[in-house]
Amino acid sequence: MWYELGNVAYVGSGYAFRGKVESDPNGTLVILQQKDISNLVSMTSEQLAEDVPQGAALAADTDNFDKYRVIKGDVLLQLRGGQFLSVVFKANYPAIAAQGVAVIRPNAGLLPSYLCWFLNHPSTTEKLRSISGGTHIPFISKK
């Protein structure tokens, strides 16, 4: 039985920065970009809870980012580049998603770890590739 993702989870997009994401040396909010998802996927559960991905940018914590905050249990999905990796966010630090990263917040009854496993499954990844757009860099639209 198939369900549309929007029927079993909230699907949000990351914050669209104007230009290159610059790290604020005094920032306390971690900006999770597409490149950071690859780093998160390779971390252990203990590392996911405590360690900020190597090279992640920081931003000052302002109200502008409230809509884009990531909470424990959210599933982060790369939307560009063809790999379409996903990871469950388990961290204890404040973070937001940047453009190119989907934030999927499962409804009650859907385990984030199961959703992540499903999204990373080879047949699902192949299906995502088949519906992706773009001539040079494959992407999945939020729709």
Side-chain angles (χ1 to χ4, degrees):
M1 178 178 282
W2 288 92
Y3 294 95
E4 288 189 24
L5 186 57
N7 291 335
V8 295
Y10 161 80
V11 181
S13 55
Y15 183 80
F17 287 88
R18 295 177 188 245
K20 183 180 177 191
V21 177
E22 298 289 340
S23 188
D24 180 349
N26 299 318
T28 58
L29 190 63
V30 177
I31 303 168
L32 297 173
Q33 302 177 66
Q34 288 188 135
K35 63 185 177 100
D36 299 318
I37 303 302
S38 299
N39 292 337
L40 290 171
V41 167
S42 65
M43 291 180 163
T44 66
S45 290
E46 294 77 29
Q47 290 173 317
L48 281 171
E50 299 300 328
D51 296 349
V52 173
Q54 185 175 6
L58 300 174
D61 197 350
T62 67
D63 292 342
N64 296 345
F65 298 125
D66 285 348
K67 178 180 174 185
Y68 305 97
R69 290 185 187 276
V70 180
I71 61 172
K72 280 186 181 182
D74 284 350
V75 176
L76 306 175
L77 172 66
Q78 287 178 330
L79 295 177
R80 296 185 177 278
Q83 278 191 310
F84 308 124
L85 295 173
S86 67
V87 67
V88 179
F89 185 75
K90 299 178 180 179
N92 295 319
Y93 51 80
I96 62 166
Q99 187 174 20
V101 176
V103 178
I104 305 169
R105 191 164 294 152
N107 295 341
L110 178 58
L111 296 173
S113 55
Y114 174 78
L115 178 59
C116 184
W117 171 84
F118 178 80
L119 290 171
N120 284 327
H121 193 276
S123 62
T124 306
T125 304
E126 189 56 39
K127 179 67 175 172
L128 292 174
R129 278 191 199 104
S130 75
I131 64 170
S132 66
T135 53
H136 181 62
I137 299 175
F139 69 92
I140 303 170
S141 75
K142 184 178 154 189
K143 292 180 184 179

